[in-house]
Amino acid sequence: AMTHSAQLLDTFPHQPIPDRTALIACIEASASCAQACTACADACLSEDDVAMLADCISTNLVCADLCAATERLLSRRTTADARLIRAMATTCMLACRICAVMCERHATRHAHCQICAEACRECEQACLDLARSIEV
């Protein structure tokens, strides 16, 4: 079944970005990653060693905010400027890479960090693919 983001994208009369597959993948990966990072930050707060996870929590929250903003920008097809989309995808890619590295440090002790790192790596790749597909 087609996702809601894919169905909605198809309703727009004007499609400034030709790579529909990369765009949909990035919208969905960034939404998923924002949720994973938010949940991981909250899970970190419940751990006994919460003080050791302060950097992870902060990094998670930054990544969640950037992923959420990316998902929202990419969902706006009417006025979105290709330069801005490419820049945002590149920024989101970097945030996801930084967060993945942070969570990977804790992944053996905290399952939520392992899951979050995987979501970050998937979003990092989706953002890279989208950025590469855009010629400005």
Side-chain angles (χ1 to χ4, degrees):
M2 205 163 40
T3 61
H4 289 130
S5 53
Q7 288 175 318
L8 282 163
L9 192 66
D10 288 343
T11 68
F12 282 81
H14 179 58
Q15 296 291 332
I17 291 184
D19 195 335
R20 177 182 177 278
T21 303
L23 181 63
I24 292 167
C26 197
I27 289 170
E28 293 175 357
S30 57
S32 177
C33 193
Q35 188 278 328
C37 288
T38 299
C40 188
D42 190 65
C44 285
L45 287 170
S46 73
E47 296 289 354
D48 291 336
D49 59 343
V50 64
M52 298 288 290
L53 295 166
D55 286 348
C56 192
I57 294 164
S58 179
T59 302
N60 273 326
L61 294 175
V62 168
C63 193
D65 286 345
L66 286 170
C67 285
T70 298
E71 180 265 321
R72 290 177 67 173
L73 175 67
L74 298 183
S75 296
R76 295 174 182 150
R77 307 303 314 126
T78 306
T79 58
D81 187 299
R83 295 167 299 176
L84 190 56
I85 291 167
R86 189 170 72 175
M88 194 70 178
T90 302
T91 301
C92 189
M93 178 189 71
L94 179 58
C96 289
R97 183 179 300 154
I98 290 167
C99 194
V101 168
M102 179 69 72
C103 279
E104 284 161 1
R105 291 183 198 157
H106 306 290
T108 56
R109 288 177 47 237
H110 302 297
H112 50 83
C113 286
Q114 176 62 43
I115 295 164
C116 187
E118 290 169 9
C120 286
R121 291 297 186 191
E122 288 173 18
C123 191
E124 176 188 5
Q125 186 62 52
C127 286
L128 176 62
D129 292 343
L130 179 62
R132 283 182 173 163
S133 77
I134 299 169
E135 290 183 21
V136 179

